[in-house]
Amino acid sequence: MSFALVFSGQGMQHPAMLPWLAPDSALVRLTCARLGVEDWRNALEDAGWAASNRHAQCLLTGLGLAAWQQLAADLPPPTAIAGYSVGELAAFSAAGVFDAATALDLARDRAEAMDRCAADTPGGLLAVSGLTMPVLDQLCHQTGVAVAIRNGVDSAVIGGPHAALARAESQALQQNAHCTRLKVHVASHTLWMQAAANSFAQTLAALPLQRPRSVLFSNAVDRVLDATQAKAALAAQIAQTVRWDECMDNLAARGVGCVLEVGPGQALARIWNQRYPDIPARACDDFRSDAAVVAWVHSQL
């Protein structure tokens, strides 16, 4: 048996997440230094700070990698790796495409590029469940938003300018959908982020990325085989629909026995368990100790 490793995106960050994460690891300290805070948990108590795109992307990238470093010594290498939205930065780093410090640099540059787009067209994201994709596609067309993330047959995230997103939410609720506004202030993975994708592509072009050491799947180009594909994938997903449903199918096709989600909340584990009930998934946020995480993975191998 083997396992897949997936890294969460932003929107679920909270002060109590990853309760077992060592506060004094080198990577946690580096992440706090990049953010200019002494204690990231205290910083997350401020809802405005926590929702900042610049803060969240850097924090989740650094903490995701710190958590994985803490676990990796006691686990076999994962069979395959993927990341959800900004979680791709941690995933690509865990796969050996670039080191953790570079991942933090890229998180900063990615967030800044997206914030510049949002300054021109303020927007956000809305999680919607209970509508089939054809119905949701029609709703998006009628209200002027776009599908940002595909999670399943009746679960997705839509994005767009605030007024259009409000229209979409109202119409979705009228159709008995369940809607949740995400804690982001940009219309990630939609056409409104194209300038950010172009800017990030220029940033990536200057970096000497490496070929993945692990099987790595992306939100935009399926499996990533080399540095050229890695650069294209990381830039493209900023302004294109995240095909998380296809990422999950790719991971399952590797014959994994379980899935471990690293990051805040349990969203990816929950989506996975709905799609693949015979292949268990758990989130690191479920556990009170790193030993318990390791024990669960080993129990599935």
Side-chain angles (χ1 to χ4, degrees):
M1 282 289 206
S2 57
F3 76 100
L5 183 69
V6 297
F7 288 88
S8 312
Q10 71 192 86
M12 301 297 291
Q13 57 270 19
H14 59 94
M17 70 188 202
L18 301 172
W20 47 265
L21 183 61
D24 57 350
S25 73
L27 190 44
V28 170
R29 292 199 304 270
L30 178 60
T31 301
C32 287
R34 293 292 184 91
L35 290 167
V37 300
E38 292 187 8
D39 186 322
W40 63 270
R41 294 191 190 277
N42 288 340
L44 281 178
E45 294 285 358
D46 181 337
W49 190 95
S52 163
N53 198 41
R54 179 170 59 87
H55 297 152
Q57 293 202 29
C58 181
L59 183 73
L60 296 179
T61 299
L63 296 187
L65 286 171
W68 172 237
Q69 285 183 3
Q70 192 170 323
L71 297 169
D74 297 312
L75 290 172
T79 297
I81 303 174
Y84 185 90
S85 187
V86 70
E88 283 205 329
L89 293 177
F92 278 50
S93 182
V97 176
F98 40 75
D99 62 22
T102 300
L104 288 172
D105 289 339
L106 289 173
R108 176 201 61 211
D109 295 342
R110 183 181 188 272
E112 289 177 352
M114 295 173 75
D115 284 341
R116 287 194 296 270
C117 278
D120 294 332
T121 307
L125 296 176
L126 178 74
V128 180
S129 59
L131 299 180
T132 64
M133 286 306 302
V135 172
L136 189 61
D137 285 337
Q138 183 179 21
L139 181 149
C140 288
H141 178 73
Q142 293 172 344
T143 58
V145 299
V147 176
I149 304 173
R150 293 197 330 239
N151 289 323
V153 294
D154 66 349
S155 175
V157 176
I158 61 176
H162 289 306
L165 203 60
R167 291 195 298 271
E169 182 175 13
S170 176
Q171 186 167 320
L173 290 172
Q174 290 174 17
Q175 297 182 60
N176 298 317
H178 178 74
C179 299
T180 304
R181 288 286 184 124
L182 301 187
K183 298 175 184 176
V184 297
H185 300 300
V186 294
S188 310
H189 317 300
T190 69
L191 57 89
W192 293 278
M193 288 289 115
Q194 188 58 56
N198 296 341
S199 175
F200 199 52
Q202 293 179 352
T203 298
L204 290 162
L207 296 178
L209 305 190
Q210 305 300 313
R211 184 177 184 272
R213 295 193 299 264
S214 305
V215 174
L216 176 65
F217 292 108
S218 85
N219 300 163
V221 299
D222 295 322
R223 185 172 177 182
V224 176
L225 297 174
D226 55 37
T228 299
Q229 285 187 329
K231 293 179 180 182
L234 287 171
Q237 64 109 281
I238 292 176
Q240 293 182 12
T241 301
V242 167
R243 307 193 312 262
W244 189 247
D245 50 355
E246 294 180 15
C247 276
M248 290 189 289
D249 292 344
N250 286 331
L251 294 171
R254 303 299 298 185
V256 299
C258 67
V259 176
L260 180 65
E261 176 185 358
V262 181
Q266 300 86 20
L268 299 187
R270 183 175 64 253
I271 293 168
W272 178 279
N273 286 325
Q274 290 170 349
R275 193 174 186 87
Y276 291 104
D278 295 331
I279 306 174
R282 293 289 301 273
C284 284
D285 228 9
D286 286 339
F287 298 91
R288 303 301 301 174
S289 71
D290 54 356
V293 179
V294 169
W296 178 79
V297 175
H298 279 294
S299 74
Q300 304 301 316
L301 300 181

